[in-house]
Amino acid sequence: MTKGVIWLFISKFFPPAITFAVFTYTARILSPEDFGLVALALALIFLAACLLPSGWRDGLIKFEKIDSRHISSVFWLNLLVALTISAVLTGFSYLSLFQFQTDVFNLALRILCLKLLVDGSFNTLNAVLLREQKYATIAIRVTLSSFLSAAIIIALIHAGFGVWALIWSQVILSVVNFIAVFIPTRGYLKFYCSVGILKSMASFGWYSTVTTGLSELGKHYDSVIIGSFLGNKELGFFNVAKRLSDVVSDICIGTINDVNFPLLASQQSDFERVRTSFQNSVYLTSMLLFPVFTLLFIEADMIFSILFTEQWSSAVGVFQAFCIILLTVALGVPQKSIILICDHAQWWVSRQIILLMIIMPLTAIAASKGMAMLLVVFVLSKFIFCTISMIKSCDLLDLKLTDYLGNIRVAILGCFSFIIVLYLAENAIPLHPVIHLVVDTAIAVSIYLFVVMLLDYRRVKATLCDLMPRYQPLFHKLECCLNLIFR
């Protein structure tokens, strides 16, 4: 698991980091209105992608007996559905039924249909690599592809393509990523598609598809509402903040998710091991991610002043709201995995449907009142759903709620400790923004580690020894050194 986390972190860190570097560069050149237009077109693409049969792709990870026939059948199914959806979207772009469908928007939508086609194929083949736990292969190939696509995108920007560089960047990145995963998995693909195989995976596939689709719907419907009620400029601010939070989410939460689900799925026959692994997952997730999201919240204003120009200062509050949301989303990763593994996908789907039916009209109403009210609705909705799924996962594992909360107690106390110190030390010494950010990060990390080791040293040691047994002698020597220091 430790090696998997490290390699997946590399694969999750470098591609989004490279992409975001290019994105930051374009944000300094383009206006919020341009970003809003692209965000609205992308939102429609992502909403359409909710209809892809992603549950069959997840089935390639869940089911034990999988061969090239299953992989090929799922691949061609996803490609066929993607082609159908793209054809419908292309027809929609020529009709111009809505006011926001300008000529530029319609052309952007047609170009981004290529992204939909490629992403559907990429995700299927990437699931094969995840199933085989070829994390090093994923990390190396995807990182190299990101460097290549970034070079192409920068060339387009310098060639004067403007907003079209931003649009084509989405397509280019998807194409290069697909090539990167196609090379090691091409041996599995045949011109073969079995209806019988697809039917055998349907019980899990349908529920997982609806679950994933609803999750993606919950991520992207807001852009359509904001663009319709508040306009492209406000959507531009919202999109920049969301893009930054997505980079953080892909690197941190995405890594945990890609390791967590296969790990728990491999242990589903042993109830006690699953319960123990679930608690360790919640513990490590909170210990690793809570301080990251908390520090980003505190330093949001400084981060935006370093990365972007003053025209994007209105996006700071939006990003801080996303930092709060990421705390609940992180906890939701192990909860969702347990619910799906315990064959309660139907429960997950029904609760998501109910919550979306309530939240979507509330979002539209809140958008008419302004961005601040809209963000309040987003934060509350994520907190409510996280709480509901937390109670359900505890019930499935016969786990007390107090025991669950005990897994995140130390992380919360550590975060509050460095929040207080940073607040008291604010503006104590005038520094350059970059140096100030580095100093604040160093202070936060030092205080957090001190509080964690002070309050929960034994569990930290036990968890590290369990995950990295080869380094137990090193941990023992470190413990002896600490004992001598404190004496």
Side-chain angles (χ1 to χ4, degrees), residues 13-316:
F13 176 79
F14 285 103
I18 296 167
T19 303
F20 187 73
V22 176
F23 164 73
T24 303
Y25 179 72
T26 57
R28 293 174 171 270
I29 299 174
L30 303 178
S31 67
E33 288 84 354
D34 290 333
F35 272 86
L37 183 145
V38 177
L40 189 55
L42 273 174
L44 291 179
I45 292 295
F46 288 133
L47 289 178
C50 295
L51 301 175
L52 291 174
S54 57
W56 278 262
R57 180 185 69 226
D58 294 337
L60 296 178
I61 298 176
K62 175 177 172 56
F63 294 111
E64 296 181 3
K65 297 181 179 180
I66 295 294
D67 55 30
S68 60
R69 297 176 305 157
H70 295 78
I71 296 170
S72 298
S73 298
V74 172
F75 178 86
W76 295 115
L77 172 65
N78 274 270
L79 182 58
L80 177 62
V81 175
L83 283 169
T84 304
I85 296 172
S86 298
V88 173
L89 285 176
T90 301
F92 169 79
S93 69
Y94 282 105
L95 294 177
S96 295
L97 300 174
F98 298 94
Q99 185 177 359
F100 60 79
Q101 287 187 263
T102 62
D103 291 339
V104 176
F105 175 87
N106 288 330
L107 181 55
L109 187 63
R110 290 194 286 271
I111 294 172
L112 290 173
C113 283
L114 297 173
K115 174 181 173 63
L116 178 63
L117 287 172
V118 178
D119 282 349
S121 302
F122 162 79
N123 290 327
T124 303
L125 298 181
N126 194 56
V128 177
L129 295 179
L130 289 173
R131 172 185 172 82
E132 298 181 352
Q133 299 183 8
K134 293 183 177 179
Y135 303 123
T137 301
I138 296 173
I140 295 171
R141 292 186 181 276
V142 175
T143 301
L144 291 176
S145 68
S146 297
F147 276 110
L148 176 60
S149 61
I152 297 173
I153 294 163
I154 292 174
L156 290 175
I157 294 173
H158 282 285
F161 278 76
V163 69
W164 298 107
L166 188 61
I167 294 169
W168 278 107
S169 69
Q170 298 292 323
V171 179
I172 293 170
L173 183 60
S174 296
V175 170
V176 177
N177 283 340
F178 169 74
I179 295 172
V181 298
F182 173 76
I183 294 173
T185 59
R186 64 189 183 278
Y188 293 105
L189 291 180
K190 314 291 182 185
F191 287 104
Y192 176 89
C193 186
S194 171
V195 176
I197 288 177
L198 296 175
K199 284 184 177 179
S200 69
M201 302 171 68
S203 59
F204 176 81
W206 279 116
Y207 283 120
S208 183
T209 295
V210 176
T211 300
T212 304
L214 289 173
S215 177
E216 292 300 310
L217 176 63
K219 291 179 182 178
H220 303 294
Y221 77 92
D222 47 18
S223 293
V224 177
I225 293 177
I226 294 172
S228 302
F229 282 90
L230 300 178
N232 283 345
K233 186 174 183 178
E234 288 296 323
L235 180 57
F237 292 136
F238 181 85
N239 180 250
V240 166
K242 190 174 183 179
R243 286 284 296 273
L244 179 55
S245 68
D246 285 345
V247 170
V248 176
S249 178
D250 288 341
I251 294 171
C252 300
I253 298 177
T255 302
I256 296 295
N257 183 53
D258 285 343
V259 172
N260 185 73
F261 184 67
L263 177 67
L264 293 178
S266 66
Q267 300 175 354
Q268 57 187 302
S269 59
D270 190 332
F271 179 80
E272 289 299 326
R273 286 185 66 191
V274 170
R275 183 164 64 176
T276 301
S277 295
F278 172 76
Q279 292 192 78
N280 286 337
S281 179
V282 173
Y283 179 74
L284 289 174
T285 299
S286 63
M287 294 289 286
L288 295 174
L289 301 187
F290 278 24
V292 175
F293 301 149
T294 303
L295 186 62
L296 288 173
F297 179 93
I298 296 173
E299 307 294 341
D301 188 62
M302 195 175 301
I303 291 171
F304 270 76
S305 68
I306 294 172
L307 294 178
F308 308 108
T309 59
E310 289 299 320
Q311 67 173 340
W312 296 102
S313 59
S314 297
V316 172

Side-chain angles (χ1 to χ4, degrees), residues 401-417:
L401 192 59
T402 52
D403 292 336
Y404 177 95
L405 295 175
N407 292 309
I408 64 175
R409 173 182 57 87
V410 175
I412 293 174
L413 291 174
C415 290
F416 272 115
S417 299

Side-chain angles (χ1 to χ4, degrees), residues 288-485:
L288 295 174
L289 301 187
F290 278 24
V292 175
F293 301 149
T294 303
L295 186 62
L296 288 173
F297 179 93
I298 296 173
E299 307 294 341
D301 188 62
M302 195 175 301
I303 291 171
F304 270 76
S305 68
I306 294 172
L307 294 178
F308 308 108
T309 59
E310 289 299 320
Q311 67 173 340
W312 296 102
S313 59
S314 297
V316 172
V318 182
F319 177 70
Q320 288 178 321
F322 277 117
C323 290
I324 298 173
I325 290 173
L326 287 176
L327 292 172
T328 61
V329 173
L331 290 179
V333 168
Q335 293 166 189
K336 178 184 176 182
S337 297
I338 283 297
I339 292 170
L340 293 181
I341 288 171
C342 293
D343 294 325
H344 281 71
Q346 186 175 4
W347 179 92
W348 180 271
V349 171
S350 63
R351 294 304 182 276
Q352 281 193 314
I353 292 174
I354 293 172
L355 189 62
L356 277 176
M357 289 176 63
I358 297 172
I359 295 302
M360 289 181 70
L362 285 178
T363 301
I365 296 172
S368 64
K369 303 294 183 181
M371 182 64 75
M373 184 61 67
L374 185 67
L375 295 176
V376 171
V377 172
F378 285 158
V379 172
L380 288 178
S381 64
K382 292 295 184 181
F383 177 79
I384 291 171
F385 191 76
C386 178
T387 303
I388 294 172
S389 60
M390 175 183 66
I391 295 172
K392 179 65 175 179
S393 58
C394 288
D395 181 61
L396 291 173
L397 295 174
D398 194 22
L399 186 67
K400 292 182 180 179
L401 192 59
T402 52
D403 292 336
Y404 177 95
L405 295 175
N407 292 309
I408 64 175
R409 173 182 57 87
V410 175
I412 293 174
L413 291 174
C415 290
F416 272 115
S417 299
F418 73 71
I419 287 174
I420 294 172
V421 173
L422 291 180
Y423 175 77
L424 294 175
E426 186 178 8
N427 299 324
I429 303 175
L431 299 171
H432 186 274
V434 176
I435 298 176
H436 195 166
L437 182 61
V438 172
V439 171
D440 283 357
T441 302
I443 293 173
V445 170
S446 301
I447 294 173
Y448 182 78
L449 291 176
F450 175 78
V451 173
V452 167
M453 298 300 287
L454 182 66
L455 298 179
D456 211 15
Y457 170 74
R458 289 185 178 180
R459 184 166 184 183
V460 172
K461 177 187 174 183
T463 302
L464 291 175
C465 289
D466 182 52
L467 294 177
M468 296 180 286
R470 291 186 300 173
Y471 297 97
Q472 287 191 23
L474 178 62
F475 297 142
H476 179 70
K477 291 180 181 179
L478 179 61
E479 183 179 11
C480 293
C481 293
L482 291 173
N483 288 333
L484 289 174
I485 292 173

